[in-house]
């Protein structure tokens, strides 16, 4: 391992995570504790429950992350914690933990932008190899439960190229799963079932009159609701205490086909925006990250799209697609060299990535 050892802390939503990354971006340990079980009966993340769970999870996870990385607390040279965007109560727990540890150890504290951390996750490996070098210019597609954005990174700064105008891609997965009574979160189950169906009636591809590369997933959700009714699956909405999920093996073939159409539409929209992007600007390297980057169809199709368009497409190891502190530690390592807000950083529920200086 090479110095400095960076301790990463992630608590922006419903995963509590701690990780150790060394000075070359080797992931020495990455522990993620999912709170899905605590939130699933509500059909979504409950902020107060998330914050309290982070508080309980952090101390044992810190021990685990240090032991997993073969390190002691005194070996940590930098502490990095997610400062936003995310749920403020949840963010505050990890941010205060990170600041407290940094103050106690007398080492620098680096506040990390959660989306920048996702963008960097494809440069990391989970097999003990150092991180891949990040080139001066690259493009990033983030597809998660809260974000669907395209950014260009360059020495001049971070440029927002496109964003969803309504729902995020992962949010559409979660809403369709909820309507079809498949449980929460929806991405993994919809992905599995879609692969057992056949896409025969693709959904309409949304476009904007102004020619923008922006994305949209709410129309897809509405169209899916209408089609659910058409195949005799009564669309369900609003949970609390909702009905237990439909067992996967009882999924009717027509629903499997509908989910295949839905999944095809999500990936086709991403391909469409990327194809239009490479017509107007060079994209030598594309990083694809966020929870939806775990999707099996996306993981086949976007690298194939890249080969066809001369774009190197980097995907994170599956373990680093969910919210995790390894990506936070790596983002912190890269930002540690430049003076920043440090211990003064507040928790920010909203925080445009393009407001950050180049790194
Ligand atoms: O990045 P992430 O863990 O949290 C946010 O920062 O939002 O992403 C979670 C999202 C959820 O919407 C979940 O349904 C989706 O990622 N997801 C998937 C898959 N696995 C997780 N979506 C599609 N296919 C998957 N295999
Ligand atoms: Zn995330």
């Amino acid at each position: 391992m090479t110095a400095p050892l960076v301790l990463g802390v992630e608590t922006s939503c419903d995963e509590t995570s701690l990780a150790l990354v060394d000075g070359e971006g080797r992931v020495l340990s990455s522990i993620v504790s999912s709170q899905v079980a605590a939130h699933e009966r509500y059909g979504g993340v409950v902020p107060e429950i998330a914050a309290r769970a982070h508080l309980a999870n952090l101390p044992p996870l810190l021990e685990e992350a240090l032991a997993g990385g073969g390190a002691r607390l005194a070996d940590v040279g930098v502490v990095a914690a997610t400062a936003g965007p995310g749920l403020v109560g949840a963010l505050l727990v990890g941010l205060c933990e990170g600041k407290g540890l940094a103050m106690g150890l007398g080492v620098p504290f680096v506040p990390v932008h959660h989306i920048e951390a996702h963008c960097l996750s494809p440069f990391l490996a989970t097999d003990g190899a150092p991180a891949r070098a990040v080139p001066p210019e690259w493009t990033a597609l983030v597809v998660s439960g809260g974000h669907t954005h395209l950014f260009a990174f360059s020495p001049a700064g971070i440029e927002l190229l496109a964003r969803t105008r309504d729902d995020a891609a992962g949010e559409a997965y979660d809403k369709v799963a909820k309507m079809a009574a498949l449980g929460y979160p929806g991405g993994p189950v919809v992905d599995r079932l879609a692969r057992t169906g056949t896409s025969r009636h693709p959904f309409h591809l949304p476009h904007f009159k102004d020619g923008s590369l922006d994305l949209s997933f709410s129309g897809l959700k509405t169209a899916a609701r209408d089609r659910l009714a058409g195949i005799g699956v009564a669309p369900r909405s609003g949970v609390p205490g909702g009905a237990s999920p439909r067992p996967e093996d009882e999924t009717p073939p027509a629903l499997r086909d509908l989910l295949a159409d839905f999944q095809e539409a999500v990936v086709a929209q991403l391909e469409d925006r990327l194809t239009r992007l490479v017509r107007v600007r060079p994209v030598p390297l594309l990083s694809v990250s966020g929870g939806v980057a775990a999707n099996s169809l996306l993981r086949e199709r976007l690298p194939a799209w890249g080969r066809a368009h001369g774009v190197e497409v980097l995907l994170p190891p599956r373990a680093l697609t969910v919210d995790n502190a390894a990506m936070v530690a790596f983002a912190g390592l890269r930002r540690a060299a430049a003076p920043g807000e440090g211990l003064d950083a507040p928790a920010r529920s909203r925080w445009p990535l393009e407001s950050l200086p180049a790194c």
Side-chain angles (χ1 to χ4, degrees):
M1 70 179 78
T2 52
L5 270 198
V6 186
L7 175 70
V9 185
E10 159 63 38
T11 64
S12 67
C13 190
D14 61 341
E15 262 97 21
T16 320
S17 180
L18 280 153
L20 275 181
V21 163
D22 79 3
E24 291 177 356
R26 264 185 210 90
V27 179
L28 305 180
S29 66
S30 173
I31 316 287
V32 181
S33 167
S34 166
Q35 302 177 6
V36 166
H39 300 282
E40 65 185 344
R41 57 192 288 240
Y42 303 102
V45 178
V46 182
E48 183 61 26
I49 293 177
R52 285 168 190 265
H54 289 312
L55 204 54
N57 290 343
L58 280 173
L61 291 189
L62 175 61
E63 296 298 322
E64 238 184 287
L66 290 169
R72 292 165 306 132
L73 200 50
D75 300 326
V76 170
V78 174
V79 180
T82 304
L87 304 169
V88 161
L91 285 166
L92 274 171
V93 177
L95 192 61
C96 292
E97 169 90 4
K99 287 180 181 178
L101 285 169
M103 284 171 82
L105 291 167
V107 301
F109 174 75
V110 186
V112 167
H113 193 291
H114 181 77
I115 305 303
E116 179 167 73
H118 270 303
C119 293
L120 289 164
S121 63
F123 293 93
L124 293 171
T126 41
D127 61 359
R132 214 189 124 123
V134 181
E137 300 201 12
W138 52 292
T139 305
L141 170 65
V142 187
V143 270
S144 75
H147 302 270
T148 303
H149 286 86
L150 255 172
F151 294 101
F153 288 76
S154 81
I158 304 169
E159 186 186 346
L160 175 65
L161 301 173
R163 62 177 170 84
T164 178
R165 293 215 182 159
D166 39 61
D167 294 347
E171 194 179 349
Y173 269 92
D174 295 337
K175 287 181 176 170
V176 166
K178 191 165 166 179
M179 288 191 282
L182 294 169
Y184 170 85
V189 59
V190 171
D191 186 1
R192 277 194 300 278
L193 290 173
R195 299 314 294 259
T196 63
T198 308
S199 172
R200 295 194 179 89
H201 306 286
F203 287 88
H204 169 75
L205 190 64
H207 284 293
F208 293 103
K209 287 204 178 76
D210 60 10
S212 123
L213 293 181
D214 280 354
L215 299 112
S216 167
F217 295 97
S218 73
L220 195 53
K221 174 196 66 193
T222 312
R225 175 183 291 129
D226 294 345
R227 283 209 202 166
L228 278 171
I231 62 167
V233 177
R236 298 189 191 172
S237 61
V239 171
S244 49
R246 179 197 313 279
E248 272 182 61
D249 56 1
E250 288 173 19
T251 309
L255 178 54
R256 295 172 193 264
D257 291 350
L258 187 157
L259 297 174
D261 284 335
F262 166 78
Q263 179 143 289
E264 170 61 34
V266 172
V267 175
Q269 187 179 163
L270 299 176
E271 286 171 334
D272 171 75
R273 299 314 196 254
L274 293 170
T275 302
R276 288 169 50 210
L277 176 68
V278 296
R279 282 191 202 130
V280 293
R281 61 189 293 155
V283 177
L285 187 149
L286 175 75
S287 102
V288 182
S289 61
V292 185
N295 185 263
S296 66
L297 188 67
L298 178 151
R299 292 181 84 90
E300 281 170 25
R301 290 265 290 272
L302 292 192
W305 171 90
R307 287 191 289 278
H309 291 83
V311 177
E312 185 179 5
V313 174
L314 278 190
L315 287 161
R318 265 178 205 273
L320 300 185
T321 55
V322 290
D323 288 347
N324 67 87
M327 67 184 193
V328 174
F330 184 49
L333 172 70
R334 287 172 47 79
R335 294 251 170 217
E341 288 176 313
L343 291 168
D344 296 330
R348 295 178 167 102
S349 60
R350 292 176 185 276
W351 190 10
L353 177 57
E354 60 279 18
S355 69
L356 264 64
C359 178

